[in-house]
Amino acid sequence: MTPCTPVESWRISVVVPVFNEQEGIATLLGAVVPVLERHTPAYEILFVDDGSTDDTLQILRQRHAQDSRVRFISLSRNFGKEAALTAGLEHAQGDAVIPMDVDLQDPPELIPDFIRLWREEGYDMVYGVRASRPDDTMMKRSSAGGFYRLFNRMSHIEIPDNAGDYRLIDRRVVDELLKLPERTRFMKGLYAWVGFRSIGVPYQRPARTMGDSKFNFWKLWNFAIDGFVSFSTVPLRVWSYVGGIIAALALLYIVVIVGQVIITGRDVPGYASLLSVVLFFGAIQLLSIGILGEYLGRLFMESKQRPLYVLKESSPLVPVSPPNDRPSP
């Protein structure tokens, strides 16, 4: 893509959620700013401090004082990445928004391709597709692939395999995303739910250059459950079928036992078989109650209507750029 000309009047917002990432801010700016300088007429980089306890916020204040295009908002505590990302979308001012991680596993070199497909080919959303994930273990790659396949089978919407938050989102798509009021937010599903014209761009995901992932196995497991429960009622519906099958098998077993007693005079099996049946049905009941509890808990949280996050501090706004001159697709 050729560098943009001065006559163009649109702006890109790069949204970067951070939590205890004081070492990574300078590195990210050093990699992203030259790309934005060459390929955009105007830009802002909006950091969302998700309740950091190190010097992240102080560094962001200093960076904003040096360059007003580096903005920040700071949340009152750690609300989680999905809430921080939503906060970034709400405060971004650009004609298109690019969420990305601070660890540079989302390569900035992909941004020109995102912009080209948005500006020249009229796509409303351009997302990165991880063609390889060398930094992940075999178990993590396998579990991630299994999650995408299972989610797409269970949900009425389909999310692209190996597509994360790294993408370019047109302003009108951002506005629609911000209309969605749920508190338990699974952003990958929300991106797909709003629709619009989208395309994937494959890339080789580099190894992490700094810091450690804030997502351990337990957090990823809960994140996957949030995705399933937020976009599918299959876990609820399946227990109707499970109950019907178990009832049919139980009825068949009763017929067999009664037949054996009547025809052969064989005694009914005793303690061991009875205990096994009781434990089996107890486990099934507890599992089904747990699934019901997942849905009921989310209804309980939604009914409180609490804000998704609480803003503690923000940098002054940069004057808004001229209206977007992007032609309609």
Side-chain angles (χ1 to χ4, degrees):
M1 179 178 176
T2 57
C4 59
T5 59
V7 297
E8 295 178 300
S9 57
W10 45 271
R11 174 158 58 170
I12 292 292
S13 294
V14 176
V15 172
V16 188
V18 289
F19 176 64
N20 292 341
E21 298 285 359
Q22 60 183 21
E23 295 89 0
I25 295 172
T27 304
L28 176 106
L29 291 174
V32 171
V33 168
V35 176
L36 296 175
E37 292 280 4
R38 288 195 303 269
H39 297 283
T40 67
Y43 68 87
E44 65 174 1
I45 302 176
L46 175 61
F47 289 90
V48 183
D49 173 33
D50 190 20
S52 297
T53 56
D54 61 1
D55 291 331
T56 295
L57 181 56
Q58 181 60 31
I59 293 173
L60 293 176
R61 293 190 187 110
Q62 294 171 358
R63 287 288 178 171
H64 175 71
Q66 297 167 3
D67 185 350
S68 62
R69 294 173 297 183
V70 178
R71 297 176 52 216
F72 69 88
I73 58 175
S74 179
L75 308 186
S76 62
R77 63 170 177 84
N78 181 251
F79 286 88
K81 184 180 179 182
E82 304 297 283
L85 183 54
T86 302
L89 294 178
E90 288 183 346
H91 288 81
Q93 302 177 90
D95 300 292
V97 179
I98 301 178
M100 66 184 303
D101 292 336
V102 72
D103 57 18
L104 291 180
Q105 286 194 290
D106 300 332
E109 296 77 16
L110 218 60
I111 292 177
D113 292 329
F114 286 178
I115 294 175
R116 177 182 59 81
L117 290 167
W118 171 58
R119 297 284 299 170
E120 299 178 10
E121 300 190 28
Y123 286 97
D124 299 294
M125 191 180 310
V126 186
Y127 54 88
V129 178
R130 302 159 185 161
S132 68
R133 307 172 66 163
D135 203 35
D136 294 341
T137 63
M138 179 64 71
M139 178 177 290
K140 187 173 181 179
R141 289 195 294 268
S142 300
S143 60
F147 167 77
Y148 286 111
R149 288 191 295 271
L150 184 59
F151 181 93
N152 289 334
R153 285 181 176 273
M154 292 175 58
S155 175
H156 62 282
I157 63 169
E158 184 171 342
I159 58 176
D161 290 354
N162 291 309
D165 294 316
Y166 188 38
R167 60 188 64 213
L168 181 147
I169 313 171
D170 184 82
R171 169 51 57 183
R172 62 175 174 169
V173 182
V174 172
D175 292 341
E176 295 303 321
L177 285 169
L178 296 178
K179 293 178 182 178
L180 305 179
E182 55 255 52
R183 271 69 179 164
T184 303
R185 301 182 72 80
F186 180 67
M187 294 302 297
K188 295 181 182 65
L190 296 182
Y191 296 141
W193 188 90
V194 295
F196 293 99
R197 189 167 180 245
S198 304
I199 189 173
V201 178
Y203 69 96
Q204 304 297 320
R205 194 183 195 200
R208 182 182 297 274
T209 59
M210 69 198 78
D212 298 316
S213 174
K214 303 300 187 296
F215 279 91
N216 54 32
F217 177 80
W218 181 246
K219 289 183 177 179
L220 289 172
W221 171 258
N222 288 324
F223 186 60
I225 291 177
D226 285 341
F228 287 131
V229 174
S230 297
F231 286 91
S232 176
T233 58
V234 170
L236 287 174
R237 189 179 303 121
V238 73
W239 289 106
S240 298
Y241 299 104
V242 171
I245 293 172
I246 291 177
L249 292 175
L251 179 61
L252 178 62
Y253 186 63
I254 290 172
V255 172
V256 170
I257 294 299
V258 171
Q260 287 178 339
V261 173
I262 294 175
I263 297 173
T264 66
R266 181 180 174 184
D267 292 336
V268 177
Y271 174 78
S273 59
L274 179 62
L275 183 61
S276 298
V277 171
V278 170
L279 292 175
F280 174 74
F281 281 104
I284 290 293
Q285 289 170 347
L286 289 175
L287 183 59
S288 59
I289 290 172
I291 292 176
L292 289 170
E294 288 288 340
Y295 284 90
L296 183 60
R298 280 157 177 77
L299 288 174
F300 173 65
M301 296 305 295
E302 293 292 335
S303 68
K304 294 182 179 183
Q305 293 293 297
R306 290 175 179 169
L308 190 61
Y309 61 89
V310 177
L311 188 64
K312 180 179 69 174
E313 180 183 346
S314 65
S315 57
L317 292 177
V318 181
V320 178
S321 59
N324 183 8
D325 67 343
R326 175 181 178 236
S328 299

